[in-house]
Amino acid sequence: MMANPQFDDVRNRAAEAVTEDNLRSVYTGLIHEDGRHEYYFANDTEEAAQLRESAAIQLGMLLRVLADRSDSSVPEITELAIDRAEQMELR
């Protein structure tokens, strides 16, 4: 049994949402039980300013939700994310 009963519902809603036709940016990060992680990031533009704006919006949304749900501050989550990002290899 999963620790969070809402997990399956959120996962299913997210899977449905990424199939919508009117998306301009997509980021999905997956963390598997064995610790393996994978991520998918794509934008419907190649313009650097639009890529930065989309990335900033997605990062902001993720930081806000993680901070709220983990009883941490946005700066605390940001510092931890910076450390992890520096350790990651792009694949």
Side-chain angles (χ1 to χ4, degrees):
M1 174 139 230
M2 294 191 148
N4 184 345
Q6 295 175 330
F7 182 77
D8 277 337
D9 180 51
V10 171
R11 182 177 56 182
N12 290 333
R13 289 188 353 231
E16 289 176 19
V18 298
T19 63
E20 292 180 12
D21 290 335
N22 61 349
L23 298 177
R24 80 177 163 154
S25 183
V26 173
Y27 170 76
T28 303
L30 306 173
I31 302 172
H32 299 270
E33 286 185 10
D34 63 4
R36 184 173 46 96
H37 59 269
E38 52 189 307
Y39 35 91
Y40 304 90
F41 180 70
N43 288 276
D44 195 14
T45 183
E46 292 296 322
E47 187 180 319
Q50 287 181 333
L51 288 171
R52 280 192 302 272
E53 180 61 19
S54 292
I57 291 169
Q58 289 167 326
L59 284 169
M61 290 186 302
L62 185 58
L63 287 170
R64 177 76 272 152
V65 169
L66 291 174
D68 287 347
R69 299 237 173 121
S70 67
D71 294 327
S72 300
S73 70
V74 170
E76 288 171 326
I77 297 295
T78 302
E79 277 194 41
L80 183 58
I82 289 168
D83 291 342
R84 296 299 185 270
E86 289 174 344
Q87 297 170 10
M88 283 183 177
E89 293 180 25
L90 286 180
R91 290 178 245 151

